[in-house]
Amino acid sequence: MGEKLDRRKQYTRKVLKESMIDMLKQTSINHVTVKTLCEMADINRSTFYTHYRDPYDLLMTIEDEIITDLKNYLNSYSFDQDEESRLMTKKLLEYIEDMPETFRVLLNENSDPAFEKRVMNVAHQFVMSNTYDLDETVSDYYSTYIISGAIHVIKAWIAAERPESTEEMAHLIHAFVNGGTPER
């Protein structure tokens, strides 16, 4: 009986998350209501409140899961090795490619504007902890420059519905980061 409840809870949370992403395609988080989420997910309000306080809590849960996944990905690679850096970028792009609609929505104007900053902060902390040769101030600026550019390239890739493969994008981003013009 406990396993069925767990599956039901997992299913409910899944449909609520999917409904939130679908709603954010059309409207800002400020206009998402529990009522409309429940109608879209085909659940009742009391079920929603069993899992989340409000739409913002649901959105924060979605974002927190992604941030945790990104931290895990980044911490499993060593940034200072050239090939490993490219592989890490490819793996992150594959993660994004597995949930393109989620990232397209979370990185657009209808969602929480703090999400992009949170992603940048995670990447910034990782780059700062793996940049050894630079003065701390220079390293901070370098990290900000690299991460901002990479995130905007990824946003453009997602918006274009990913015409390039993750391998091609990893190569492009890696070339940009290293100050070069990529060869195709």
Side-chain angles (χ1 to χ4, degrees), residues 77-79 81-93 166-175 178:
Y77 292 97
S78 174
F79 187 68
Q81 298 171 356
D82 194 48
E83 265 317 299
E84 189 124 351
S85 172
R86 191 182 334 238
L87 178 61
M88 177 199 64
T89 304
K90 183 177 181 282
K91 290 292 184 190
L92 285 170
L93 291 168
T166 56
E167 184 74 41
E168 290 172 303
M169 286 307 296
H171 177 73
L172 287 173
I173 292 170
H174 190 73
N178 290 312

Side-chain angles (χ1 to χ4, degrees), residues 123-141:
H124 178 76
Q125 289 174 352
F126 178 76
V127 171
M128 290 296 288
S129 68
N130 288 287
T131 308
Y132 308 106
D133 298 340
L134 300 175
D135 167 88
E136 186 175 334
T137 303
V138 173
S139 183
D140 188 42
Y141 289 136

Side-chain angles (χ1 to χ4, degrees), residues 2 7 15 22-23 28 32-33 37 49-50 52 84 90 95-96 109 120 143 146 150 159 165 169:
R7 274 196 253 153
V15 296
D22 284 343
M23 292 212 49
S28 74
V32 174
T33 65
L37 275 170
Y49 288 116
T50 300
Y52 305 103
E84 189 124 351
K90 183 177 181 282
Y95 176 73
I96 291 168
E109 65 278 350
M120 288 180 69
S143 171
I146 296 301
S165 70
M169 286 307 296

Side-chain angles (χ1 to χ4, degrees), residues 7-21:
R7 274 196 253 153
R8 270 189 258 169
K9 284 181 181 180
Q10 289 174 354
Y11 174 78
T12 300
R13 290 177 182 166
K14 179 180 180 265
V15 296
L16 283 169
K17 290 173 187 175
E18 289 169 354
S19 296
M20 173 62 87
I21 296 300

Side-chain angles (χ1 to χ4, degrees), residues 44-55:
N44 62 46
R45 290 171 62 92
S46 62
T47 302
F48 177 89
Y49 288 116
T50 300
H51 299 278
Y52 305 103
R53 289 185 309 274
D54 54 33

